[in-house]
Amino acid sequence: MAKRGAGGTDGGTGSFLLGLIMICGGGYLLLNGIIVRPNFGFGARVFGIGGIPITSGMIMIPFMFGVGMIFYNSRNYIGWGLAIGSIIALIFGVIANMTLQLAAMSALDLIIILVLLVGGIGLFLRSLRSIG
């Protein structure tokens, strides 16, 4: 019976591990170099319905009614729907209003990150092939 390597193939286990380490290192450095800036507040536009801007403060109004209805009667499905729907809309609004920017770095830093990430993916995928 032949000895099996990474992924049940005859590929190299060393290439698999080295590729995985490179992917983790490059991915970490890339994600560490991304700056997240929120553009969100109680006056910020979250959604627009028919050209009317919906702000995050407006989303809190149905949330308050929903919570009040839940405290009055915990089996009120409309209250639960209002509360949960408002929280979901608020979460989506926060995520939609974020700005992602790459931090200032030298060209060498970016090249090292990309070589680690893409080279690691190449080694990882190569290790899953059969050698023969």
Side-chain angles (χ1 to χ4, degrees):
M1 182 167 195
K3 182 179 176 186
R4 293 289 184 185
T9 65
D10 295 329
T13 306
S15 294
F16 177 82
L17 291 175
L18 182 61
L20 190 62
I21 291 169
M22 287 174 66
I23 291 171
C24 290
Y28 171 77
L29 290 173
L30 180 66
L31 292 176
N32 196 33
I34 294 176
I35 298 171
V36 178
R37 297 188 194 275
N39 296 330
F40 193 75
F42 276 110
R45 181 179 186 268
V46 178
F47 301 105
I49 299 176
I52 299 170
I54 305 296
T55 64
S56 56
M58 290 178 181
I59 292 176
M60 296 306 284
I61 294 170
F63 176 74
M64 290 185 305
F65 280 110
V67 169
M69 294 167 89
I70 290 170
F71 272 90
Y72 181 74
N73 180 7
S74 64
R75 293 184 181 178
N76 189 341
Y77 294 115
I78 296 173
W80 281 104
L82 283 172
I84 292 172
S86 297
I87 293 295
I88 290 172
L90 199 61
I91 290 170
F92 279 122
V94 168
I95 292 171
N97 285 309
M98 284 187 183
T99 304
L100 301 176
Q101 294 177 331
L102 196 59
M105 61 178 69
S106 69
L108 180 64
D109 292 341
L110 185 60
I111 289 171
I112 290 171
I113 290 171
L114 294 177
V115 166
L116 282 173
L117 190 61
V118 179
I121 291 171
L123 276 176
F124 181 82
L125 293 176
R126 185 179 74 177
S127 72
L128 298 178
R129 282 190 327 180
S130 290
I131 292 175

